[in-house]
């Protein structure tokens, strides 16, 4: 185990200065996520245009460096993607965090994949996996228009 | 017993935890277990096991006696008048649920008020919240002051002629504040209001004397007192246990069962339905004996020294903010580090074998009041040493380094 792998520069940077930490005006989809174990909260706002492309995505909330960095990187990467692509990226990321070595999708370029792989360090820290996945589960429920609050315990 | 040698009584400290010596600073969550307690569970299951209170064979009688011996030990340890004032539960949570449920059933009506404090653990709030729905009662919260304490005035301010019961923690598991229980009870009794004390954090660290405190109910968790999990105690004055309805129904708590009706058993059986955590109750006697052997005065003194030492070191560190500053404080230090989330602190400290807790510690009301989503918490037990605190301080420095602070 290596803490340096978990707390890389890029995670610390996104954790301290999260991108897209705001509220999208005229959002048309949103969802809230909550991690009852640690009290982390995230609210994701999504604006899909008529072609179902992500015109804007943002989030509000608070949490540890891992959860803030994860939401920050995620929002950066899915901006401009189509809804189906977003879903594929989300599933790919969640698979990678759970079990797979690598990301499989062909939507993100190598640079973007490298950024995402920075989060793979949490695999070594089972109690922290939820910190990394909360915003991703919340994005899924925003897209699927779930009215219920995502809860990492379920 | 030499307090310096106490660590040796706890087998876990012989283990390497991820290649580190264990620096265990999470005793407010649960304490580690001395060898005598662990061995007692092993011996009971291997040589003496039987269910209690039912059969007449040799093992059953012997087990029943052992089980009842713990009741007597607890009675003496907390200076209760009668051994039947000791009810075994699965923990403080169940003890509080028992009171909220039975007292609620019998004495609470729409519009009545239950007075808690902002320091309460969820287990001293949620059971009362159930009654908001079922009985339409109101819940009031006595407010903390700047220091994170509950003063007698804070309680006085919230008592009305609708207040039917006051339920307060003895020692806050976040700020460490020790509440003026004796004064609260005197005040409450002058208005005929009974008092339940959540003694989860009180029992492991403070001298307990039910005659002196004079509270009506006192809830304890065994696992925080160097005892097994799955065992707790509700102390209640006998008049209440006689008066309140039973809690759970089942075997062991009945007198006579007919198709047309049921009569309930005598104390203490009335509140101990079903097969209890027999082995844990029996092993809990060893925890009590352990604490008696060390001496609660010695434990208090030792933990106070650790607290003063820890506060001194952490206060010198400019990036650390300590949560609360109660005058009368137990061995709990909750803190935040500017620029590092408590969960990141806990993960980084863990890498050095330093076990702390991060989060809201089941006290969301308090954290909301303090406007902190989470805090990091180091809490002490009898086995901690100044070296543990030095390691804590070193690991905190490492934490700042990783975060480039
Ligand atoms: C003040 C306080 N009350 C109640 C509890 C609940 O205890 P248990 O989970 O053992 O029932 C705790 C344990 O964390 C506590 O610290």
């Amino acid at each position: 185990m290596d803490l340096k792998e978990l707390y890389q520069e890029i995670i610390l940077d996104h954790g301290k200065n999260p991108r897209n930490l705001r509220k999208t005006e005229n959002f048309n989809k949103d969802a809230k996520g909550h991690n009852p174990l640690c009290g982390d909260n995230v609210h994701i706002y999504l604006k899909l245009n008529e072609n179902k492309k992500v015109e804007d995505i943002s989030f509000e909330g608070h949490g540890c460096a891992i959860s803030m960095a994860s939401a920050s990187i995620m929002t950066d990467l899915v901006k401009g993607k189509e809804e189906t692509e977003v879903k594929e990226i989300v599933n790919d990321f969640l698979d990678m965090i759970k079990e797979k070595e690598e990301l499989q999708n062909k939507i993100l370029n190598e640079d973007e994949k490298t950024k995402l792989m920075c989060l793979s360090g949490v695999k070594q820290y089972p109690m922290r996996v939820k910190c990394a996945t909360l915003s991703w589960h919340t994005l899924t429920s925003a897209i699927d228009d779930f009215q219920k609050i995502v809860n990492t315990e379920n | 017993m030499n307090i310096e040698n106490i660590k040796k009584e706890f087998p876990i400290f012989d283990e390497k935890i991820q290649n580190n010596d264990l620096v265990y600073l999470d005793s407010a969550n649960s304490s580690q277990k001395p060898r005598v307690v662990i061995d007692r569970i092993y011996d009971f299951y291997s040589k003496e096991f039987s269910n209690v209170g039912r059969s007449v064979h040799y093992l059953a009688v012997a087990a029943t006696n052992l089980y009842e011996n713990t009741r007597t030990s607890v009675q003496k340890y907390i200076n209760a008048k009668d051994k039947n004032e000791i009810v075994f539960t699965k923990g403080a949570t169940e003890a509080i649920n028992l009171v909220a449920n039975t007292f609620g059933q019998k004495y609470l009506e729409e519009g009545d008020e239950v007075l808690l404090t902002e320091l309460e653990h969820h287990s001293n709030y949620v059971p009362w919240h159930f009654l908001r729905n079922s009985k339409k009662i109101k819940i009031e919260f006595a407010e903390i002051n700047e220091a994170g304490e509950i003063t007698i005035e804070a309680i006085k301010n919230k008592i009305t002629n609708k207040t039917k019961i006051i339920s307060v923690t003895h020692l806050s598991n976040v700020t460490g504040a020790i509440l003026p229980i004796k004064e609260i009870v005197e005040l409450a009794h002058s208005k005929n209001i009974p008092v339940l004390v959540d003694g989860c954090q009180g029992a492991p660290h403070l001298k307990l004397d039910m005659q002196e405190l004079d509270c009506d109910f006192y809830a304890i968790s065994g696992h925080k007192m160097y005892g097994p999990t799955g065992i707790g105690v509700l102390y209640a004055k006998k008049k209440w246990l006689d008066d309140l309805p039973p809690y759970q129904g089942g075997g062991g708590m009945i007198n006579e069962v007919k198709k047309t009706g049921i009569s309930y058993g005598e104390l203490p059986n009335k509140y101990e339905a079903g097969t209890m955590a027999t082995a844990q109750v029996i092993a809990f006697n060893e925890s009590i004996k352990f604490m008696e052997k060390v001496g609660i005065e010695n434990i208090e003194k030792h933990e106070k020294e650790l607290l003063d030492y820890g506060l001194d070191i952490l206060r010198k560190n400019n990036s650390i903010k300590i949560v609360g500053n109660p005058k009368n404080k137990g061995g709990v230090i909750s803190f935040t580090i500017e620029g590092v989330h408590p969960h990141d602190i806990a993960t980084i400290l863990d890498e050095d074998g330093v076990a702390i807790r991060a989060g809201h510690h089941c006290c969301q009301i308090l954290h909301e009041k303090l406007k902190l989503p989470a805090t990091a918490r180091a809490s002490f037990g009898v086995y901690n040493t100044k070296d543990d605190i030095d390691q804590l301080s070193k690991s905190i420095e490492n934490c700042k380094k990783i975060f480039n602070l």
Side-chain angles (χ1 to χ4, degrees):
Chain A
M1 258 197 246
D2 187 3
L3 271 179
K4 289 268 151 45
E5 213 177 292
L6 184 63
Y7 293 103
Q8 303 172 46
E9 242 356 275
I10 176 161
I11 298 220
L12 293 180
D13 173 41
H14 277 264
K16 261 188 216 160
N17 309 298
R19 325 294 195 261
N20 309 308
L21 182 65
R22 54 185 167 79
K23 182 173 176 180
T24 302
E25 273 180 43
N26 310 323
F27 65 89
N28 44 26
K29 299 206 171 220
D30 76 311
K32 283 184 187 172
H34 178 55
N35 182 344
L37 262 185
C38 42
D40 286 0
N41 272 317
V42 65
H43 193 160
I44 301 227
Y45 304 94
L46 201 58
K47 187 169 182 203
L48 294 178
N49 66 16
E50 54 282 10
N51 302 323
K52 297 227 160 186
K53 232 183 197 174
V54 179
E55 201 173 294
D56 191 32
I57 177 167
S58 61
F59 75 103
E60 291 179 322
H62 56 76
C64 61
I66 312 292
S67 76
M68 295 305 271
S70 186
S72 172
I73 295 172
M74 176 189 83
T75 48
D76 254 0
L77 294 188
V78 304
K79 214 180 285 179
K81 306 284 187 301
E82 281 176 22
E83 185 181 326
T84 49
E85 292 177 324
V86 173
K87 280 192 171 174
E88 193 179 330
I89 296 170
V90 171
N91 289 334
D92 195 23
F93 173 78
L94 292 176
D95 283 349
M96 184 273 287
I97 287 290
K98 248 185 263 150
E99 56 203 359
K100 298 223 174 77
E101 288 276 305
E102 300 286 340
L103 293 162
Q104 318 275 336
N105 75 78
K106 304 217 159 40
I107 303 158
L108 299 175
N109 64 35
E110 282 314 306
D111 257 12
E112 292 172 325
K113 283 189 184 171
T114 311
K115 238 192 211 174
L116 256 194
M117 287 306 286
C118 290
L119 288 162
S120 66
V122 293
K123 289 187 193 189
Q124 315 269 348
Y125 301 83
M127 294 297 283
R128 306 300 302 277
V129 165
K130 286 171 180 172
C131 307
T133 57
L134 177 64
S135 54
W136 297 77
H137 287 300
T138 309
L139 173 58
T140 307
S141 78
I143 292 177
D144 292 346
D145 261 342
F146 267 135
Q147 288 310 313
K148 102 178 208 277
I149 295 180
V150 176
N151 184 315
T152 52
E153 291 301 279
N154 296 332
Chain B
M1 182 181 285
N2 179 353
I3 202 116
E4 299 300 316
N5 285 328
I6 280 182
K7 209 162 191 160
K8 299 200 183 86
E9 309 247 333
F10 291 76
I12 195 140
F13 294 113
D14 298 336
E15 298 293 313
K16 290 281 177 205
I17 309 296
Q18 302 191 50
N19 301 319
N20 284 302
D21 288 332
L22 174 61
V23 176
Y24 190 75
L25 295 171
D26 198 19
S27 295
N29 187 351
S30 195
S31 60
Q32 296 295 344
K33 317 305 170 200
R35 190 170 284 108
V36 282
V37 171
I38 301 167
D39 286 351
R40 193 68 196 91
I41 290 187
Y42 179 83
D43 285 343
F44 176 65
Y45 277 130
S46 23
K47 299 175 191 156
E48 303 157 276
F49 181 76
S50 165
N51 204 344
V52 301
R54 298 176 188 190
S55 308
V56 295
H57 56 77
Y58 177 83
L59 286 177
V61 174
T64 306
N65 287 338
L66 290 169
Y67 182 90
E68 290 304 321
N69 285 347
T70 303
R71 203 186 304 279
T72 308
S73 291
V74 174
Q75 178 212 340
K76 291 197 178 125
Y77 188 72
I78 68 173
N79 193 24
K81 265 193 194 135
D82 187 326
K83 106 192 236 299
N84 288 337
E85 294 180 322
I86 308 302
V87 176
F88 291 122
T89 62
K90 82 174 163 78
T93 299
E94 192 179 41
I96 297 167
N97 273 276
L98 190 161
V99 177
N101 183 295
T102 58
F103 185 87
Q105 257 185 68
K106 185 149 181 183
Y107 288 109
L108 296 183
E109 314 261 324
E110 181 164 351
D112 283 347
E113 291 170 14
V114 171
L115 176 54
L116 313 177
T117 80
E118 288 176 339
L119 289 178
E120 299 315 311
H121 189 278
H122 294 166
S123 40
N124 192 23
Y125 174 28
V126 185
W128 302 107
H129 169 75
F130 290 165
L131 297 163
R132 267 185 181 149
N133 295 329
S134 63
K135 290 268 184 168
K136 309 257 181 302
I137 64 149
K138 283 204 203 133
I139 298 176
E140 296 291 333
F141 294 90
E143 290 180 28
I144 55 166
N145 62 12
E146 295 275 292
E149 316 169 294
I150 294 287
T151 59
I152 186 78
E153 284 72 33
I155 300 282
K156 206 180 276 170
N157 285 341
K158 295 282 174 166
I159 294 181
T160 72
N161 56 9
K162 290 276 181 195
T163 309
K164 288 287 148 58
I165 186 165
I166 298 176
S167 189
V168 296
T169 187
H170 197 168
L171 193 165
S172 161
N173 61 321
V174 178
T175 67
I178 298 169
L179 273 63
I181 298 297
K182 227 181 120 173
E183 288 78 5
I184 293 174
V185 172
E186 267 170 27
L187 171 68
H189 285 180
S190 74
K191 300 172 189 289
N192 271 324
I193 304 168
V195 177
L196 180 150
V197 179
D198 172 359
C200 238
Q201 301 293 341
H205 307 290
L206 304 171
K207 185 172 169 55
L208 294 187
D209 183 336
M210 291 304 123
Q211 302 318 307
E212 196 191 323
L213 285 184
D214 198 33
C215 56
D216 299 83
F217 307 96
Y218 196 95
I220 293 174
S221 274
H223 69 96
K224 295 187 206 262
M225 294 177 76
Y226 312 105
T229 52
I231 156 77
V233 168
L234 172 67
Y235 158 80
K237 282 185 180 166
K238 192 159 174 302
K239 63 169 187 192
W240 287 113
L241 293 178
D242 284 332
D243 177 52
L244 293 173
Y247 177 48
Q248 294 179 335
M253 53 78 72
I254 44 78
N255 178 26
E256 227 184 0
V257 176
K258 300 247 163 78
K259 276 188 178 166
T260 46
I262 293 171
S263 61
Y264 304 124
E266 302 274 299
L267 292 174
N269 299 343
K270 177 178 168 189
Y271 289 100
E272 293 179 6
T275 296
M276 300 290 287
T278 317
Q280 290 92 321
V281 169
I282 290 168
F284 186 49
N285 206 352
E286 299 303 320
S287 327
I288 302 283
K289 286 187 202 156
F290 169 80
M291 289 186 70
E292 278 173 338
K293 200 160 76 169
V294 182
I296 190 71
E297 288 84 1
N298 293 330
I299 296 177
E300 276 186 60
K301 185 162 154 272
H302 176 64
E303 290 174 353
K304 177 84 177 103
E305 270 172 33
L306 291 174
L307 177 68
D308 290 343
Y309 185 75
L311 285 174
D312 215 40
I313 287 188
L314 296 186
R315 277 191 186 130
K316 283 191 190 121
N317 192 326
N318 288 334
S319 21
I320 295 181
K321 277 212 186 82
I322 291 167
V323 177
N325 186 24
K327 278 185 277 304
N328 203 359
K329 179 174 163 86
V332 182
I333 304 179
S334 295
F335 61 96
T336 55
I337 303 177
E338 186 83 41
V340 192
H341 191 279
H343 281 113
D344 298 313
I345 302 174
T347 295
I348 295 168
L349 263 52
D350 182 50
E351 202 78 352
D352 297 333
V354 179
I356 62 157
R357 183 163 171 194
H360 51 57
H361 319 296
C362 298
C363 293
Q364 275 189 301
I365 301 284
L366 177 62
H367 280 78
E368 201 176 317
K369 170 87 172 211
L370 297 170
K371 301 203 169 52
L372 294 168
T375 52
R377 179 185 73 187
S379 55
F380 310 132
V382 60
Y383 33 63
N384 287 119
T385 61
K386 290 185 178 165
D387 290 345
D388 292 342
I389 293 169
D390 291 339
Q391 182 58 53
L392 169 71
S393 171
K394 247 196 259 164
S395 298
I396 287 175
E397 283 310 313
N398 182 36
C399 203
K400 288 166 61 181
K401 217 162 73 205
I402 288 179
F403 272 73
N404 304 317
L405 295 175

